[in-house]
Amino acid sequence: MSGTLIKLMAFPLIAPADSDGQTYRGFLSVHVHLSDPTHKLPLAVYGEPALQKLLLGKEELLQKRIGRCEDISVLLTDLKEILETCSTYPSPAHISAERYTTLFNEIDKLGFGTVKNMGDTMEHITFEYRDTSERTYEIEASIPADYPLSAPLIKVDLPQPPSALTTTSLTDHIHHIHSLIHQYQDYFNCMDEIDTYGQILDPDHPRGVDTWRRIALTHHCSVHIEIQPDTPRYLPRVRFFGAEKRTTHLWSQWQKATSSWCNEDTPWKNLKCILSDVLIDQVQKEQGQGEDVECGICYAYKLDHTVQETPDTICVNDLCNRGFHPTCLYEWLRSNPNSTRSFNVLFGQCPYCSEFYTSIQHESMT
């Protein structure tokens, strides 16, 4: 076995790229050219952007430490050390054994069956937790290199961020999250009931942090409700969307009936009592009794722009009452030769009830 191959045994991901043993390629597509004492060629290290980013600002140090190196194994050892010191997270060799021992013991207490994902250095650990209603939660823990001197950073999908703890123990932090999940059980139950029976327009995929819902009503109207996580059964804040005439009536109906709001019942049951004549539930939708909530022009509910639009421009004709995206209606009127314009206000006919006149004001699109 040649001397070069013996020296490279410590670096199994590095291999010669030429027969002269002057060029080597490695894991990060590193090309290392050794100094040639005969031709006085300077040392050069080339590689992928990831390698260049790690070595950025370290060029002088690199030349000082390995500039005169003529042995590939020594060069790679020095390069490896420089890359490890450049890394934002310490290498496994620089992490204390106490950290691993402490983490192992704490995970053992929590149960290894609760671990969904874990990195080799235990820098990131994801736990799974299932509540009494069989909902599953992912608890992400970022473990600092100096743990247990510093506390872990916990991320979890809850309606409110968890409060800070004085302890640095991973077990204490995870148990604290478990207690918060138990605390918000009534909130999650109430929101699940709304999502199950209501025709939810927004958000598309509700999460625990989303304490609001936009629910479809009849006549192309909708109601936006905000639930308080700590008191989910109390009267929520609401806002109605739709034609002005109908939303005025809905708001008046809401104000008269809020005195009968029962804090013992869930928000959905209260909504059914107050808005029973306009609230659309999933049973009605499945039976074909639900109404079209999409834009009457593009047939989509959300228009993907920087700011997503919803069909909130409603035809004032009660017999039509179709909803449109402001942008869609603007473009439709602008393309209609029968429309007229005064500054940035377009006047024309509704795409559905052509005998009725309508107008829209929209900022000019550039």
Side-chain angles (χ1 to χ4, degrees):
M1 183 179 294
S2 66
T4 299
L5 291 179
I6 294 176
K7 294 173 182 178
L8 286 176
M9 289 179 64
F11 301 93
L13 298 179
I14 298 293
D18 61 4
S19 58
D20 298 329
Q22 294 297 310
T23 304
Y24 298 84
R25 288 189 175 91
F27 181 73
L28 289 174
S29 300
V30 181
H31 305 274
V32 182
H33 298 272
L34 293 179
S35 300
D36 189 335
T38 303
H39 300 88
K40 305 299 181 182
L41 294 176
L43 172 74
V45 178
Y46 308 98
E48 295 180 354
L51 175 65
Q52 298 299 326
K53 184 177 180 180
L54 285 174
L55 293 177
L56 186 64
K58 304 291 184 179
E59 295 84 356
E60 184 178 351
L61 173 63
L62 185 66
Q63 291 294 333
K64 283 183 179 181
R65 297 194 59 177
I66 58 179
R68 295 187 298 272
C69 177
E70 298 180 7
D71 190 306
I72 181 63
S73 63
V74 176
L75 182 146
L76 292 175
T77 301
D78 287 346
L79 179 61
K80 176 176 179 292
E81 184 178 343
I82 291 175
L83 290 174
E84 288 178 349
T85 57
C86 293
S87 177
T88 56
Y89 197 81
S91 66
H94 296 125
I95 299 177
S96 68
E98 179 189 1
R99 176 181 181 275
Y100 289 109
T101 302
T102 304
L103 283 173
F104 182 88
N105 291 334
E106 297 211 54
I107 295 176
D108 187 39
K109 293 179 182 178
L110 294 168
F112 280 92
T114 64
V115 177
K116 181 179 180 181
N117 293 308
M118 181 169 60
D120 293 338
T121 60
M122 295 185 174
E123 181 183 359
H124 299 288
I125 306 174
T126 302
F127 297 89
E128 274 191 343
Y129 180 73
R130 193 180 300 272
D131 65 13
T132 55
S133 298
E134 297 301 312
R135 287 181 290 256
T136 302
Y137 306 83
E138 289 191 359
I139 306 172
E140 299 178 7
S142 298
I143 313 298
D146 60 348
Y147 183 83
L149 295 178
S150 298
L153 179 64
I154 306 296
K155 291 178 60 177
V156 62
D157 186 20
L158 291 177
Q160 294 176 337
S163 57
L165 300 181
T166 57
T167 177
T168 63
S169 168
L170 175 64
T171 303
D172 292 342
H173 279 76
I174 298 300
H175 284 163
H176 177 57
I177 298 300
H178 291 174
S179 65
L180 289 178
I181 293 175
H182 178 73
Q183 174 184 327
Y184 290 126
Q185 283 300 288
D186 193 36
Y187 163 80
F188 287 122
N189 291 335
C190 290
M191 300 305 280
D192 282 352
E193 184 182 31
I194 294 175
D195 294 335
T196 301
Y197 296 106
Q199 186 175 352
I200 306 302
L201 303 178
D202 217 10
D204 292 329
H205 305 286
R207 300 181 302 151
V209 71
D210 298 321
T211 60
W212 60 278
R213 296 291 188 272
R214 187 165 178 178
I215 307 172
L217 305 176
T218 60
H219 304 294
H220 296 279
C221 296
S222 60
V223 58
H224 176 106
I225 66 170
E226 295 185 19
I227 304 296
Q228 297 300 318
D230 294 326
T231 54
R233 294 174 182 257
Y234 284 27
L235 183 69
R237 289 183 293 181
V238 302
R239 180 183 177 187
F240 292 98
F241 293 88
E244 183 178 0
K245 181 179 179 181
R246 294 192 180 276
T247 55
T248 301
H249 172 73
L250 288 171
W251 180 245
S252 176
Q253 179 181 346
W254 176 267
Q255 288 183 312
K256 292 178 181 178
T258 51
S259 59
S260 61
W261 183 278
C262 179
N263 294 336
E264 300 297 324
D265 292 333
T266 62
W268 177 253
K269 290 181 179 179
N270 280 288
L271 288 173
K272 288 282 289 182
C273 292
I274 298 176
L275 303 174
S276 58
D277 56 333
V278 294
L279 192 64
I280 303 174
D281 59 29
Q282 288 294 345
V283 176
Q284 290 175 307
K285 184 179 180 182
E286 292 172 359
Q287 293 176 350
Q289 300 177 19
E291 296 204 357
D292 295 331
V293 296
E294 296 81 9
C295 171
I297 296 175
C298 72
Y299 302 107
Y301 177 69
K302 283 188 177 180
L303 193 61
D304 291 330
H305 277 171
T306 303
V307 178
Q308 291 186 331
E309 292 184 17
T310 53
D312 294 332
T313 302
I314 311 297
C315 178
V316 296
N317 177 16
D318 290 339
L319 298 178
C320 173
N321 208 48
R322 288 301 302 247
F324 308 98
H325 294 121
T327 299
C328 292
L329 188 56
Y330 177 85
E331 291 294 340
W332 191 90
L333 291 175
R334 190 171 68 167
S335 64
N336 191 328
N338 296 322
S339 299
T340 59
R341 179 170 185 156
S342 175
F343 297 100
N344 63 336
V345 180
L346 290 172
F347 301 92
Q349 293 176 324
C350 171
Y352 284 80
C353 55
S354 57
E355 69 273 23
F356 293 95
Y357 217 68
T358 186
S359 67
I360 179 175
Q361 184 172 355
H362 195 282
E363 294 182 0
S364 300
M365 292 179 292
T366 57

